[in-house]
Each structure stands twice: as structure tokens, then as C-alpha cells.
Amino acid sequence: MTITDKRKSLEACTESGWDAFDLMTGEPLSDEDIEELKCMEGSFLYMKQLKKPFFKVENHDYVIKGVKGDSFFRFAVHKDKVSLVDELMERFG
């Protein structure tokens, strides 16, 4: 997986002290791309059996979620840890 860009998410969560970003990928997300996110610290959930397979990584500082086949996923992060977005982009850039 290659993350090519980020943008502020249209679904804001700033009232809770968090920021959200949509991270754009070079290609639609595959099973392999989603499995790569297991390296992130936190609980990993991947519902492959759904019509639109859904994944989520939860940590006390962030939540990553998305759908297989989309060319982006959402990264919501506590305002004090926004630098984690850039770290993830470097890891998968």
C-alpha cells in the first residue's frame, strides 16, 4: 500500500478533541493492504465476510477505519498526537 496524499476529513470530530484525515492510497485497498495495518499498535478488526469488507484499528490515541476497494481510509487522531498521521504516511509512503 502506498499513501499518496492526506486531506482533512469531511466528517469532523473536533468537538471531542480529535482531528480526522482521509488518507488517499495509490490503488484501491486490497486484503494485503489492509493486513499491513496489523503492524499498527492497537486492536485490529477486519470483517472480510461482509458485502463491503470493513476494517478498523483502535488505539487510545487514534482510530483507523475503511472499506476494502476504496482508495482512501480515515485516520482519526487525538489533537495532541496529530504527528502520528505523518508517521503513518512515511511508513506507507
Side-chain angles (χ1 to χ4, degrees):
M1 165 176 41
T2 303
I3 298 174
T4 59
D5 198 10
K6 73 176 176 184
R7 66 177 181 218
K8 280 287 237 182
S9 179
L10 298 176
E11 294 180 42
C13 48
T14 53
E15 66 278 352
S16 62
W18 288 56
D19 280 330
F21 299 89
D22 291 332
L23 300 182
M24 316 312 284
T25 57
E27 307 241 340
L29 293 167
S30 67
D31 287 325
E32 294 79 21
D33 295 331
I34 294 165
E35 294 288 339
E36 279 187 73
L37 292 171
K38 281 184 178 178
C39 71
M40 299 299 295
E41 189 175 318
S43 65
F44 177 81
L45 172 70
Y46 183 26
M47 304 289 288
K48 291 181 184 183
Q49 70 276 21
L50 298 176
K51 186 175 182 180
K52 292 181 83 174
F54 168 84
F55 67 91
K56 180 164 62 170
V57 179
E58 279 189 284
N59 178 290
H60 62 278
D61 291 325
Y62 58 82
V63 175
I64 300 169
K65 63 182 182 176
V67 176
K68 178 183 173 185
D70 285 350
S71 295
F72 70 95
F73 58 93
R74 188 166 189 235
F75 191 109
V77 62
H78 191 274
K79 283 187 177 285
D80 296 338
K81 303 288 184 170
V82 172
S83 63
L84 292 172
V85 177
D86 294 326
E87 289 176 29
L88 181 73
M89 289 186 69
E90 283 180 30
R91 179 180 271 178
F92 291 103

